[in-house]
Amino acid sequence: MSKTIEFSATVSATTRNGVLVVTIDNPPVNATSVDVRSGLEKALAHAETAPDVTGVVVTGAGKTFIGGADIKEFGKPATEPTLPAVIEKIEGLSKPVVAALNGAALGGGLEVALACHYRVASPAAQVGLPEVKLGIVPGAGGTQRLPRLIGIPAALDLITSGRSVKAEEALTFRIIDDVAAGDLVETAISAASALAGKPLRRTGDLTVAAVDPAEVEKASVKILAKARGQKAPAEAVRLVTSSNRPLAEGLADERATFLALRDSREAAALRHVFFAERESSKVEGLEGVEPRPVKTIGICGLGLMGSGIAVAALGAGYSVIGLDQTVEAAEKGRERIIGLLERNVASGRLDQAGFEAQKARLSVTAEDVDLAPCDLVVEAVFDDLAVKTDLFQRLDKVIRPDAVLATNTSYLNPDEIAAATAHPERVLGLHFFSPAHVMRLLEVVRCAKTAPDVLATGLAVAKKLRKLPVVTGVTEGFIGNRIFSAYRREAEFLLEDGALPHEIDAALEDYGFPMGLFAVYDMAGLEIAWARRKRQAATRNPSARYVEIADTLCEAGRLGQKAGRGWYAYPDGKRTIDPEVTTIIEAARAKKCIVPRAFSKGEILERMLGAMALEGEALLAERIAARSSDIDLVMINGYGFPAHKGGPMFAKA
Ligand code: 3H9
């Protein structure tokens, strides 16, 4: 091996068997920052002219190949050399360049690899073009080279979904040429040596395989419908489907599109979400605090919520002991959990061996004492203070004193539940969203007495469950339901002031919510919120504005979609505007002598978003939420707020 050449602070190389092995070392993810780009450019120039170099291998230090362009550089003036320029030099080199993918090759990272003449990956590597998730399109050749390599339909799928694929699947797609069985860099060096002196396969020179236009059209329509007005997926469709034109033309179009999107509000919003997700796990007071080890999780209450939590826990490798009130109820819970696992098998998310392994880690019981081996117990029983405190007091007698107790309450005060237990410091809230095996958000509730390592345990378990944990303080409804209440309240004020349910829903859906608020109410059923309002009636502030319309609907039996009518009517199951609802709303306005006025979509949004942001400000002032980006994450991941708008706090900033 030759001595190391430093091409820049982050790019160095040694020559092995005549092959220049270039290593990018730019922690944390080897992003293609300016120093990496200029280092690569110098390495390529060296390789081209050095007589002792017959080929090049490019690889990454650490566990990533290249995580993509440096997202932190977006928004700053571009510095030469640009990534497309470096990539063009890779593809055009007269000597073979082999990409040795030691880990994730994402975005610009995969674009570097696509321009190499051969790609070999370690089994743990993954590749993808996640740019659409950042509101942009690949900007260094991805939309033009990937279709040349794997065809338009497959490229369309990968680029517009932004999903990444593991090495084996990448090999099936023919994105990579080999998965290294032994040492990755040695394999890549051998490949470079074998290619030396032979004609090189340049991806940019390949012809895009002919494809049935009807098939492409069908796929494109589906993608655009799913994008709900976002620009990046639509532009990605356009660029990929037109990739069978001269490379230079396609690249110029791609670059211009990339630059325009990069500077858009949509991209800024999605970048905000990207960094917010990483920021949310940094919790004050937990630096250096070790979580308690968790292997076995107890779940009390095996209804819909408990079963969903069980499926998430089994999927993450935990052993699960489910508790319900009777042997029959426990057995029914077991069947429900197995049913959900079977659905995962049917959809291909779980293979038979995985199913058997998960089933073997599940047991159910009606005896508290059987929860003794648990390291963490999550309760998902009826949301009633007496029921929950009774359960925790019983658990105190059977589980180890260092085991963690979590309540999944939505509206009760977990401090009160904790206070009724022998060790309040081991109690926290884990507020899952339904269905718990699907929804990514998990509010982790820091109670007044929660010990730091107990909170750290909640966060560590959430991560292992592949959830997005957001820490919240104690308040009625925590972060999400507090904001949702403000949003709901504002919608009802708007009804009284002059807007109709379908007008409010249309404004929200246009904005990007998957469904308008009143349509969601109807789908969920109106009775639970009605019961809660009745419970709260006695303690409600009599001087606060209260809208009775929802109560009137419930009294009239309009309990939602299941009842065939709610905020809308559902003849033949199809949602339609119901004049009867308009009459009820008009009567409510008249009763309060409100003179209604028309609201534009813009005004409706202004009020709805304003109400959310105002409540968010209150949560920050009360220190319930640590940062406004946490609030955005909660609303995006738990309540359908469109990610490409950045969340209610970002949207109002
Ligand atoms: C692109 O490539 C455009 C091109 O087409 C065109 C160019 C012309 N930049 O996720 P982690 C930080 S667009 C800057 O916890 P993991 C992250 O903020 C890009 N920083 O690690 C965090 O910082 P901190 C397309 C980045 O091991 C730290 O790294 N690429 C970037 O769980 C660790 O992150 C993507 O969208 C970046 N690109 O996962 C890939 N990436 O410690 C985005 C990460 O201060 N990245 N950081 O909080 C990922 O998917 C994951 O980070 C990865 C590692 C799988 C790589």
Side-chain angles (χ1 to χ4, degrees):
M1 201 192 313
S2 71
K3 69 173 179 30
T4 305
I5 312 172
E6 311 275 348
F7 290 107
S8 73
T10 53
V11 178
S12 63
T14 54
T15 308
R16 287 158 68 175
N17 293 344
V19 174
L20 188 73
V21 179
V22 180
T23 304
I24 299 164
D25 188 1
N26 185 27
V29 297
N30 295 335
T32 58
S33 328
V34 61
D35 189 72
V36 170
R37 300 195 301 270
S38 68
L40 274 177
E41 190 178 49
K42 285 180 196 141
L44 292 165
H46 172 79
E48 188 67 277
T49 52
D52 60 328
V53 172
T54 57
V56 180
V57 165
V58 180
T59 194
K63 64 184 177 69
T64 312
F65 172 65
I66 299 174
D70 187 343
I71 306 171
K72 291 187 181 116
E73 272 185 9
F74 289 3
K76 296 183 190 156
T79 322
E80 305 278 333
T82 64
L83 191 58
V86 175
I87 282 178
E88 199 182 328
K89 287 192 174 139
I90 293 176
E91 191 163 69
L93 206 80
S94 67
K95 298 174 186 175
V97 186
V98 174
L101 309 181
N102 55 304
L106 300 175
L110 179 57
E111 290 174 302
V112 165
L114 289 175
C116 292
H117 308 118
Y118 192 84
R119 287 157 288 281
V120 50
S122 72
Q126 47 162 332
V127 306
L129 291 170
E131 283 87 344
V132 288
K133 294 186 182 168
L134 293 167
I136 53 176
V137 291
T143 66
Q144 304 303 300
R145 287 195 178 88
L146 194 60
R148 280 173 165 75
L149 203 57
I150 66 171
I152 288 180
L156 205 52
D157 164 30
L158 288 177
I159 294 175
T160 61
S161 68
R163 75 184 172 95
S164 51
V165 295
K166 299 235 174 77
E168 274 305 328
E169 198 182 346
L171 187 64
T172 322
F173 270 120
R174 307 193 65 80
I175 300 173
I176 58 170
D177 301 289
D178 189 16
V179 176
D183 184 86
L184 173 71
V185 173
E186 283 304 331
T187 312
I189 292 172
S190 303
S193 301
L195 290 173
K198 302 214 175 94
L200 296 174
R201 182 178 185 247
R202 296 190 166 86
T203 312
D205 290 345
L206 303 176
T207 310
V208 179
V211 61
D212 175 6
E215 185 196 341
V216 173
E217 176 61 22
K218 207 170 128 202
S220 306
V221 168
K222 230 167 134 182
I223 292 159
L224 296 182
K226 219 171 136 199
R228 283 190 279 126
Q230 286 181 74
K231 288 193 213 94
E235 291 290 20
V237 166
R238 188 181 64 74
L239 290 163
V240 173
T241 54
S242 63
S243 57
N244 52 357
R245 54 178 158 162
L247 181 70
E249 199 184 294
L251 288 180
D253 190 355
E254 179 198 75
R255 184 73 182 161
T257 311
F258 163 79
L259 291 173
L261 287 176
R262 190 194 62 180
D263 298 335
S264 67
R265 180 81 181 152
E266 203 168 288
L270 287 164
R271 278 201 296 280
H272 162 74
V273 175
F274 178 87
F275 288 115
E277 287 191 3
R278 273 129 192 108
E279 196 67 18
S280 67
S281 53
K282 294 172 189 147
V283 177
E284 204 188 317
L286 292 196
E287 302 83 8
V289 175
E290 281 297 315
R292 298 183 185 180
V294 175
K295 285 208 171 79
T296 302
I297 298 184
I299 297 170
C300 305
L302 299 177
L304 271 185
M305 181 56 92
S307 305
I309 300 171
V311 169
L314 291 168
Y318 291 109
S319 294
V320 170
I321 306 174
L323 174 81
D324 217 317
Q325 279 174 327
T326 62
V327 174
E328 295 74 37
E331 191 46 39
K332 228 173 137 194
R334 202 181 92 90
E335 282 164 20
R336 187 178 291 121
I337 296 165
I338 302 288
L340 290 171
L341 294 179
E342 280 167 349
R343 255 198 256 168
N344 284 349
V345 175
S347 68
R349 260 173 296 175
L350 185 64
D351 61 18
Q352 196 59 34
F355 171 75
E356 296 300 337
Q358 295 195 17
K359 208 164 106 179
R361 277 189 268 110
L362 170 68
S363 61
V364 297
T365 178
E367 302 292 331
D368 297 348
V369 68
D370 289 335
L371 294 185
C374 292
D375 307 301
L376 161 71
V377 180
V378 185
E379 70 74 17
V381 298
F382 187 63
D383 212 16
D384 177 272
L385 189 63
V387 172
K388 295 201 193 247
T389 48
D390 171 63
L391 173 68
F392 273 18
Q393 283 165 351
R394 279 167 25 219
L395 291 177
D396 265 343
K397 299 195 185 100
V398 295
I399 61 171
R400 290 193 320 270
D402 64 332
V404 173
L405 274 176
T407 169
N408 178 50
T409 184
S410 306
Y411 283 100
L412 299 173
N413 182 342
D415 280 338
E416 283 180 31
I417 302 173
T421 70
H423 305 284
E425 70 285 352
R426 60 141 151 203
V427 176
L428 84 167
L430 288 179
H431 183 216
F432 287 85
F433 287 71
S434 192
H437 57 300
V438 176
M439 295 287 282
R440 210 171 145 233
L441 178 65
L442 180 57
E443 283 183 314
V444 178
V445 188
R446 188 201 289 241
C447 303
K449 299 220 163 122
T450 305
D453 65 336
V454 169
L455 189 66
T457 307
L459 287 164
V461 169
K463 278 266 154 79
K464 201 165 163 202
L465 293 175
R466 305 184 69 177
K467 303 281 175 209
L468 176 65
V470 176
V471 174
T472 165
V474 174
T475 182
E476 170 142 2
F478 313 120
I479 296 176
N481 280 334
R482 269 267 306 258
I483 300 215
F484 188 65
S485 295
Y487 168 76
R488 213 174 45 200
R489 201 163 48 231
E490 196 62 28
E492 299 195 352
F493 291 168
L494 272 166
L495 287 182
E496 272 190 349
D497 293 344
L500 286 171
H502 68 274
E503 292 168 343
I504 297 173
D505 280 1
L508 295 170
E509 286 171 19
D510 272 11
Y511 186 69
F513 280 89
M515 227 185 192
L517 178 63
F518 294 100
V520 170
Y521 279 153
D522 274 1
M523 211 175 72
L526 273 53
E527 62 277 13
I528 294 179
W530 187 30
R532 194 169 55 245
R533 288 197 300 277
K534 284 194 276 196
R535 272 201 312 275
Q536 292 167 339
T539 52
R540 190 177 298 131
N541 174 1
S543 62
R545 181 175 176 183
Y546 182 77
V547 180
E548 289 174 4
I549 301 168
D551 295 340
T552 315
L553 292 186
C554 292
E555 282 154 17
R558 307 189 64 107
L559 294 174
Q561 204 163 336
K562 266 185 284 172
R565 40 196 215 129
W567 289 97
Y568 294 90
Y570 295 85
D572 322 319
K574 201 173 165 291
R575 192 195 316 153
T576 44
I577 299 166
D578 190 341
E580 213 177 288
V581 175
T582 310
T583 309
I584 291 172
I585 294 170
E586 283 167 354
R589 291 171 187 156
K591 195 170 155 193
K592 288 194 183 169
C593 303
I594 296 171
V595 181
R597 72 167 184 90
F599 285 90
S600 68
K601 277 188 180 166
E603 286 172 320
I604 291 173
L605 279 176
E606 174 85 1
R607 288 216 7 204
M608 298 291 282
L609 299 181
M612 293 172 109
L614 201 66
E615 194 67 18
E617 291 300 341
L619 287 168
L620 289 171
E622 293 164 35
R623 302 178 63 84
I624 300 296
R627 46 179 94 82
S628 65
S629 59
D630 282 357
I631 298 175
D632 288 335
L633 290 182
V634 168
M635 299 321 288
I636 289 168
N637 293 283
Y639 299 81
F641 197 102
H644 61 282
K645 293 292 195 311
M649 307 307 282
F650 179 86
K652 280 306 277 183

